[in-house]
Amino acid sequence: AQIKVLDNKNMRIFQFEQTDVELERNENSIRTQGSLVLKTDNKLNKFDFTGFQNYLDYKIQMVVAFEKLLPKTLINLDQSLGFLSRYSLPLSGLMEFTLSPKFLIEKTAFNFEGGEGTIIIPELLSNSLSINSLRIKGGVNSSFNEIKLDEVFIDAGIVDINLSGNLIKKNDKISFKVRSDFSKLSVNNISRIWPANILSNARNWVTENIKDGYLDNASMVINGVTNIGNLDEISFQNIFGAFNVHNTSIHYLKPMVPLSNVSGKGEFNNTGIVIDIEKGSIGNLSLSSGKLSIKKSSNSTVNDLAHIEATITGPARDALLLLDSNPLNFISPLGVNPYISSGEQDVRVV
C-alpha cells in the first residue's frame, strides 16, 4: 500500500511509498511484521518492523530496524529534529518500544551503529570531528525528558572515546552528566578534542607550550546545563579528570631550553590542571621530580597562569648555563663564568 500522512500540527505531508504488513492472531496474542519505505528529499528509506501484543497485560512490544539512514532524513518528519543536520554519517540499528494498551509509549531503547562521516558541535569544537565509526546504546523514559546513554563508542581516528551518562530535560533546560574515557592520544592532537570553552585559558597554555608525546589512561567526568533554545549557552558546573602523560616537552619559559622526555600523572578540575612530573630532562640535566600547575585563569598583571617547580641533577656547569640563559641571565652579573665551572649539583628550581 501507499500511505500519505498529514501532519496537522505543522501542515506537512509525507508519504510511505510502500507499506507491507503481515498480521497473525491467535487466542493468546497478536503478532505483526512488515516494512515501510519513506520518501524524503527524493530518497527512499526503508524501515523494517516487528510487533507483539499478548492478552495478559495487553502491552505492545515494537521493534523498528533500519540501515544506512542519514540522521538529517528525520528532519522531514519533525522540524524540531533540526539538530540532526549536524550528524553527517550513515546510521544502522534498531529502536525498541514498549507501549501501553492505549498506545502510549512507556519505554524506548535504541542501539545504533554509524559509519564514516563527520559530527559538527560548534558549541564545543571549532572544527568538525571526523568519525571512522560510532556505536550508541541507551534508552528514553516514558516522559521523554531523560535520555540514558549506556554505551557510546566513537572511533575518531586520532583517538577512541567511550562515553556514558544521562541528559535530563526540565522546563527549558537540559542538565547532563557524562563520563568519558580516552585511548592513547597524541599531545599534539589535544586541541582537536578539547572544547574551547572548558578551562579555556589553561587550554591555550597547554596547546601552545606542551608538545609531542602522548596521553593514556585518560578519563573525565563532567556535568552541566544548557538552554534548549540556545545550545551555545552551555554551563559546565563540575569537571574532573585524570591522565598519564609520556615523553612530552614543556616550554615553561621561552626561549629557554624546554623540559623534554617528561612523564608523569595529571589531574584537572574546575580550577585548573596539575601534572606531577616523575621524570624528564633539560639538556644534560636530569629531572627527578616536579610539578606543573596551570590555573583556570589569572587576574594578576604578572604572567602567572602556569607555575612549575622541579628538582634537577647533573653537571654544575650545565645548571649554571641554564640559569644564565635568556631571559633569566642570573649568573654572569655575579661575575661567575659558568663555562669554567665543574662538579655536580642537585637543586630545586621554581
PDB file of all heavy atoms in Angstrom, residues 319-345:
ATOM      1  N   ALA A 319      73.922  23.409  34.837  1.00  0.00           N
ATOM      2  CA  ALA A 319      72.927  24.086  35.662  1.00  0.00           C
ATOM      3  C   ALA A 319      73.142  25.592  35.647  1.00  0.00           C
ATOM      4  O   ALA A 319      72.191  26.376  35.546  1.00  0.00           O
ATOM      5  CB  ALA A 319      72.986  23.550  37.091  1.00  0.00           C
ATOM      6  N   LEU A 320      74.402  26.035  35.741  1.00  0.00           N
ATOM      7  CA  LEU A 320      74.698  27.467  35.723  1.00  0.00           C
ATOM      8  C   LEU A 320      74.394  28.064  34.349  1.00  0.00           C
ATOM      9  O   LEU A 320      73.905  29.202  34.259  1.00  0.00           O
ATOM     10  CB  LEU A 320      76.159  27.698  36.103  1.00  0.00           C
ATOM     11  CG  LEU A 320      76.533  27.352  37.554  1.00  0.00           C
ATOM     12  CD1 LEU A 320      78.026  27.511  37.774  1.00  0.00           C
ATOM     13  CD2 LEU A 320      75.750  28.211  38.533  1.00  0.00           C
ATOM     14  N   LEU A 321      74.687  27.330  33.291  1.00  0.00           N
ATOM     15  CA  LEU A 321      74.362  27.820  31.952  1.00  0.00           C
ATOM     16  C   LEU A 321      72.847  27.968  31.778  1.00  0.00           C
ATOM     17  O   LEU A 321      72.377  28.904  31.112  1.00  0.00           O
ATOM     18  CB  LEU A 321      74.916  26.870  30.887  1.00  0.00           C
ATOM     19  CG  LEU A 321      76.423  26.916  30.650  1.00  0.00           C
ATOM     20  CD1 LEU A 321      76.863  25.783  29.741  1.00  0.00           C
ATOM     21  CD2 LEU A 321      76.818  28.269  30.047  1.00  0.00           C
ATOM     22  N   LEU A 322      72.107  27.051  32.364  1.00  0.00           N
ATOM     23  CA  LEU A 322      70.654  27.150  32.303  1.00  0.00           C
ATOM     24  C   LEU A 322      70.172  28.426  32.981  1.00  0.00           C
ATOM     25  O   LEU A 322      69.363  29.177  32.428  1.00  0.00           O
ATOM     26  CB  LEU A 322      70.019  25.925  32.969  1.00  0.00           C
ATOM     27  CG  LEU A 322      68.486  25.938  33.100  1.00  0.00           C
ATOM     28  CD1 LEU A 322      67.835  25.881  31.726  1.00  0.00           C
ATOM     29  CD2 LEU A 322      68.019  24.774  33.968  1.00  0.00           C
ATOM     30  N   LEU A 323      70.695  28.693  34.188  1.00  0.00           N
ATOM     31  CA  LEU A 323      70.285  29.883  34.935  1.00  0.00           C
ATOM     32  C   LEU A 323      70.793  31.169  34.296  1.00  0.00           C
ATOM     33  O   LEU A 323      70.268  32.247  34.563  1.00  0.00           O
ATOM     34  CB  LEU A 323      70.775  29.787  36.381  1.00  0.00           C
ATOM     35  CG  LEU A 323      70.192  28.623  37.204  1.00  0.00           C
ATOM     36  CD1 LEU A 323      70.846  28.570  38.574  1.00  0.00           C
ATOM     37  CD2 LEU A 323      68.681  28.768  37.330  1.00  0.00           C
ATOM     38  N   ASP A 324      71.788  31.059  33.432  1.00  0.00           N
ATOM     39  CA  ASP A 324      72.353  32.248  32.794  1.00  0.00           C
ATOM     40  C   ASP A 324      71.758  32.521  31.415  1.00  0.00           C
ATOM     41  O   ASP A 324      72.115  33.499  30.755  1.00  0.00           O
ATOM     42  CB  ASP A 324      73.873  32.095  32.667  1.00  0.00           C
ATOM     43  CG  ASP A 324      74.575  33.443  32.524  1.00  0.00           C
ATOM     44  OD1 ASP A 324      74.172  34.396  33.237  1.00  0.00           O
ATOM     45  OD2 ASP A 324      75.500  33.545  31.702  1.00  0.00           O
ATOM     46  N   SER A 325      70.873  31.640  30.958  1.00  0.00           N
ATOM     47  CA  SER A 325      70.296  31.805  29.626  1.00  0.00           C
ATOM     48  C   SER A 325      69.172  32.835  29.659  1.00  0.00           C
ATOM     49  O   SER A 325      68.620  33.168  30.712  1.00  0.00           O
ATOM     50  CB  SER A 325      69.782  30.464  29.104  1.00  0.00           C
ATOM     51  OG  SER A 325      68.797  29.930  29.980  1.00  0.00           O
ATOM     52  N   ASN A 326      68.848  33.361  28.470  1.00  0.00           N
ATOM     53  CA  ASN A 326      67.732  34.311  28.354  1.00  0.00           C
ATOM     54  C   ASN A 326      66.406  33.591  28.634  1.00  0.00           C
ATOM     55  O   ASN A 326      66.234  32.438  28.245  1.00  0.00           O
ATOM     56  CB  ASN A 326      67.698  34.910  26.942  1.00  0.00           C
ATOM     57  CG  ASN A 326      68.848  35.854  26.682  1.00  0.00           C
ATOM     58  OD1 ASN A 326      69.274  36.587  27.578  1.00  0.00           O
ATOM     59  ND2 ASN A 326      69.370  35.840  25.459  1.00  0.00           N
ATOM     60  N   PRO A 327      65.498  34.263  29.332  1.00  0.00           N
ATOM     61  CA  PRO A 327      65.554  35.659  29.785  1.00  0.00           C
ATOM     62  C   PRO A 327      66.018  35.828  31.234  1.00  0.00           C
ATOM     63  O   PRO A 327      65.876  36.908  31.792  1.00  0.00           O
ATOM     64  CB  PRO A 327      64.091  36.078  29.646  1.00  0.00           C
ATOM     65  CG  PRO A 327      63.345  34.833  30.031  1.00  0.00           C
ATOM     66  CD  PRO A 327      64.154  33.684  29.491  1.00  0.00           C
ATOM     67  N   LEU A 328      66.583  34.759  31.861  1.00  0.00           N
ATOM     68  CA  LEU A 328      66.964  34.854  33.266  1.00  0.00           C
ATOM     69  C   LEU A 328      68.243  35.672  33.469  1.00  0.00           C
ATOM     70  O   LEU A 328      68.253  36.653  34.210  1.00  0.00           O
ATOM     71  CB  LEU A 328      67.143  33.440  33.850  1.00  0.00           C
ATOM     72  CG  LEU A 328      65.894  32.539  33.841  1.00  0.00           C
ATOM     73  CD1 LEU A 328      66.216  31.198  34.473  1.00  0.00           C
ATOM     74  CD2 LEU A 328      64.728  33.212  34.555  1.00  0.00           C
ATOM     75  N   ASN A 329      69.341  35.216  32.845  1.00  0.00           N
ATOM     76  CA  ASN A 329      70.631  35.924  32.959  1.00  0.00           C
ATOM     77  C   ASN A 329      71.019  36.174  34.424  1.00  0.00           C
ATOM     78  O   ASN A 329      71.390  37.269  34.813  1.00  0.00           O
ATOM     79  CB  ASN A 329      70.563  37.262  32.208  1.00  0.00           C
ATOM     80  CG  ASN A 329      70.239  37.083  30.738  1.00  0.00           C
ATOM     81  OD1 ASN A 329      70.850  36.282  30.049  1.00  0.00           O
ATOM     82  ND2 ASN A 329      69.234  37.816  30.274  1.00  0.00           N
ATOM     83  N   PHE A 330      70.945  35.129  35.231  1.00  0.00           N
ATOM     84  CA  PHE A 330      71.209  35.272  36.661  1.00  0.00           C
ATOM     85  C   PHE A 330      72.686  35.189  37.030  1.00  0.00           C
ATOM     86  O   PHE A 330      73.127  35.778  38.019  1.00  0.00           O
ATOM     87  CB  PHE A 330      70.467  34.169  37.439  1.00  0.00           C
ATOM     88  CG  PHE A 330      68.985  34.375  37.556  1.00  0.00           C
ATOM     89  CD1 PHE A 330      68.143  33.302  37.812  1.00  0.00           C
ATOM     90  CD2 PHE A 330      68.423  35.638  37.412  1.00  0.00           C
ATOM     91  CE1 PHE A 330      66.777  33.478  37.929  1.00  0.00           C
ATOM     92  CE2 PHE A 330      67.053  35.827  37.525  1.00  0.00           C
ATOM     93  CZ  PHE A 330      66.234  34.738  37.780  1.00  0.00           C
ATOM     94  N   ILE A 331      73.500  34.472  36.263  1.00  0.00           N
ATOM     95  CA  ILE A 331      74.842  34.114  36.722  1.00  0.00           C
ATOM     96  C   ILE A 331      75.914  35.133  36.308  1.00  0.00           C
ATOM     97  O   ILE A 331      76.709  35.587  37.137  1.00  0.00           O
ATOM     98  CB  ILE A 331      75.209  32.710  36.203  1.00  0.00           C
ATOM     99  CG1 ILE A 331      74.150  31.689  36.667  1.00  0.00           C
ATOM    100  CG2 ILE A 331      76.581  32.293  36.709  1.00  0.00           C
ATOM    101  CD1 ILE A 331      73.962  31.628  38.163  1.00  0.00           C
ATOM    102  N   SER A 332      75.988  35.515  35.057  1.00  0.00           N
ATOM    103  CA  SER A 332      77.040  36.425  34.580  1.00  0.00           C
ATOM    104  C   SER A 332      77.110  37.731  35.368  1.00  0.00           C
ATOM    105  O   SER A 332      78.219  38.214  35.679  1.00  0.00           O
ATOM    106  CB  SER A 332      76.858  36.731  33.091  1.00  0.00           C
ATOM    107  OG  SER A 332      77.038  35.544  32.332  1.00  0.00           O
ATOM    108  N   PRO A 333      75.988  38.363  35.742  1.00  0.00           N
ATOM    109  CA  PRO A 333      76.079  39.600  36.525  1.00  0.00           C
ATOM    110  C   PRO A 333      76.774  39.419  37.873  1.00  0.00           C
ATOM    111  O   PRO A 333      77.239  40.393  38.477  1.00  0.00           O
ATOM    112  CB  PRO A 333      74.608  40.002  36.711  1.00  0.00           C
ATOM    113  CG  PRO A 333      73.915  39.420  35.532  1.00  0.00           C
ATOM    114  CD  PRO A 333      74.604  38.107  35.312  1.00  0.00           C
ATOM    115  N   LEU A 334      76.870  38.171  38.333  1.00  0.00           N
ATOM    116  CA  LEU A 334      77.552  37.912  39.608  1.00  0.00           C
ATOM    117  C   LEU A 334      79.053  37.732  39.433  1.00  0.00           C
ATOM    118  O   LEU A 334      79.774  37.491  40.410  1.00  0.00           O
ATOM    119  CB  LEU A 334      76.958  36.647  40.256  1.00  0.00           C
ATOM    120  CG  LEU A 334      75.439  36.688  40.557  1.00  0.00           C
ATOM    121  CD1 LEU A 334      74.983  35.345  41.120  1.00  0.00           C
ATOM    122  CD2 LEU A 334      75.127  37.816  41.541  1.00  0.00           C
ATOM    123  N   GLY A 335      79.528  37.812  38.187  1.00  0.00           N
ATOM    124  CA  GLY A 335      80.963  37.662  37.923  1.00  0.00           C
ATOM    125  C   GLY A 335      81.403  36.222  37.850  1.00  0.00           C
ATOM    126  O   GLY A 335      82.598  35.932  37.924  1.00  0.00           O
ATOM    127  N   VAL A 336      80.455  35.299  37.677  1.00  0.00           N
ATOM    128  CA  VAL A 336      80.776  33.875  37.602  1.00  0.00           C
ATOM    129  C   VAL A 336      80.738  33.454  36.139  1.00  0.00           C
ATOM    130  O   VAL A 336      79.799  33.773  35.413  1.00  0.00           O
ATOM    131  CB  VAL A 336      79.776  33.032  38.418  1.00  0.00           C
ATOM    132  CG1 VAL A 336      80.068  31.541  38.256  1.00  0.00           C
ATOM    133  CG2 VAL A 336      79.810  33.445  39.884  1.00  0.00           C
ATOM    134  N   ASN A 337      81.767  32.733  35.708  1.00  0.00           N
ATOM    135  CA  ASN A 337      81.803  32.208  34.342  1.00  0.00           C
ATOM    136  C   ASN A 337      81.342  30.755  34.370  1.00  0.00           C
ATOM    137  O   ASN A 337      82.081  29.868  34.800  1.00  0.00           O
ATOM    138  CB  ASN A 337      83.214  32.298  33.765  1.00  0.00           C
ATOM    139  CG  ASN A 337      83.254  31.866  32.300  1.00  0.00           C
ATOM    140  OD1 ASN A 337      82.275  31.342  31.774  1.00  0.00           O
ATOM    141  ND2 ASN A 337      84.391  32.087  31.653  1.00  0.00           N
ATOM    142  N   PRO A 338      80.114  30.473  33.933  1.00  0.00           N
ATOM    143  CA  PRO A 338      79.612  29.099  34.029  1.00  0.00           C
ATOM    144  C   PRO A 338      80.379  28.111  33.167  1.00  0.00           C
ATOM    145  O   PRO A 338      80.388  26.910  33.447  1.00  0.00           O
ATOM    146  CB  PRO A 338      78.155  29.235  33.551  1.00  0.00           C
ATOM    147  CG  PRO A 338      78.120  30.471  32.727  1.00  0.00           C
ATOM    148  CD  PRO A 338      79.135  31.397  33.348  1.00  0.00           C
ATOM    149  N   TYR A 339      81.110  28.583  32.138  1.00  0.00           N
ATOM    150  CA  TYR A 339      81.807  27.685  31.231  1.00  0.00           C
ATOM    151  C   TYR A 339      83.026  27.029  31.875  1.00  0.00           C
ATOM    152  O   TYR A 339      83.518  26.007  31.381  1.00  0.00           O
ATOM    153  CB  TYR A 339      82.232  28.439  29.971  1.00  0.00           C
ATOM    154  CG  TYR A 339      81.079  28.776  29.066  1.00  0.00           C
ATOM    155  CD1 TYR A 339      80.465  30.028  29.138  1.00  0.00           C
ATOM    156  CD2 TYR A 339      80.588  27.856  28.158  1.00  0.00           C
ATOM    157  CE1 TYR A 339      79.395  30.342  28.318  1.00  0.00           C
ATOM    158  CE2 TYR A 339      79.518  28.163  27.333  1.00  0.00           C
ATOM    159  CZ  TYR A 339      78.925  29.405  27.418  1.00  0.00           C
ATOM    160  OH  TYR A 339      77.861  29.726  26.611  1.00  0.00           O
ATOM    161  N   ILE A 340      83.537  27.624  32.943  1.00  0.00           N
ATOM    162  CA  ILE A 340      84.715  27.031  33.592  1.00  0.00           C
ATOM    163  C   ILE A 340      84.342  26.375  34.915  1.00  0.00           C
ATOM    164  O   ILE A 340      85.190  26.069  35.744  1.00  0.00           O
ATOM    165  CB  ILE A 340      85.813  28.105  33.814  1.00  0.00           C
ATOM    166  CG1 ILE A 340      85.289  29.233  34.726  1.00  0.00           C
ATOM    167  CG2 ILE A 340      86.302  28.660  32.491  1.00  0.00           C
ATOM    168  CD1 ILE A 340      86.368  30.233  35.096  1.00  0.00           C
ATOM    169  N   SER A 341      83.033  26.187  35.137  1.00  0.00           N
ATOM    170  CA  SER A 341      82.579  25.551  36.365  1.00  0.00           C
ATOM    171  C   SER A 341      82.652  24.027  36.198  1.00  0.00           C
ATOM    172  O   SER A 341      82.621  23.486  35.101  1.00  0.00           O
ATOM    173  CB  SER A 341      81.118  25.954  36.665  1.00  0.00           C
ATOM    174  OG  SER A 341      81.030  27.353  36.792  1.00  0.00           O
ATOM    175  N   SER A 342      82.723  23.336  37.316  1.00  0.00           N
ATOM    176  CA  SER A 342      82.769  21.868  37.311  1.00  0.00           C
ATOM    177  C   SER A 342      82.043  21.329  38.529  1.00  0.00           C
ATOM    178  O   SER A 342      81.649  22.080  39.412  1.00  0.00           O
ATOM    179  CB  SER A 342      84.219  21.381  37.276  1.00  0.00           C
ATOM    180  OG  SER A 342      84.898  21.798  38.452  1.00  0.00           O
ATOM    181  N   GLY A 343      81.905  20.009  38.575  1.00  0.00           N
ATOM    182  CA  GLY A 343      81.228  19.374  39.707  1.00  0.00           C
ATOM    183  C   GLY A 343      79.805  18.993  39.377  1.00  0.00           C
ATOM    184  O   GLY A 343      79.339  19.156  38.250  1.00  0.00           O
ATOM    185  N   GLU A 344      79.129  18.460  40.347  1.00  0.00           N
ATOM    186  CA  GLU A 344      77.752  18.032  40.213  1.00  0.00           C
ATOM    187  C   GLU A 344      76.868  18.850  41.145  1.00  0.00           C
ATOM    188  O   GLU A 344      77.346  19.407  42.148  1.00  0.00           O
ATOM    189  CB  GLU A 344      77.614  16.544  40.563  1.00  0.00           C
ATOM    190  CG  GLU A 344      78.371  15.614  39.645  1.00  0.00           C
ATOM    191  CD  GLU A 344      77.775  15.554  38.267  1.00  0.00           C
ATOM    192  OE1 GLU A 344      76.530  15.474  38.151  1.00  0.00           O
ATOM    193  OE2 GLU A 344      78.555  15.604  37.279  1.00  0.00           O
ATOM    194  N   GLN A 345      75.581  18.900  40.816  1.00  0.00           N
ATOM    195  CA  GLN A 345      74.668  19.667  41.653  1.00  0.00           C
ATOM    196  C   GLN A 345      73.308  18.966  41.718  1.00  0.00           C
ATOM    197  O   GLN A 345      72.948  18.146  40.863  1.00  0.00           O
ATOM    198  CB  GLN A 345      74.512  21.098  41.125  1.00  0.00           C
ATOM    199  CG  GLN A 345      74.024  21.207  39.698  1.00  0.00           C
ATOM    200  CD  GLN A 345      72.534  20.944  39.537  1.00  0.00           C
ATOM    201  OE1 GLN A 345      71.756  21.426  40.346  1.00  0.00           O
ATOM    202  NE2 GLN A 345      72.153  20.184  38.522  1.00  0.00           N
TER     203      GLN A 345
END
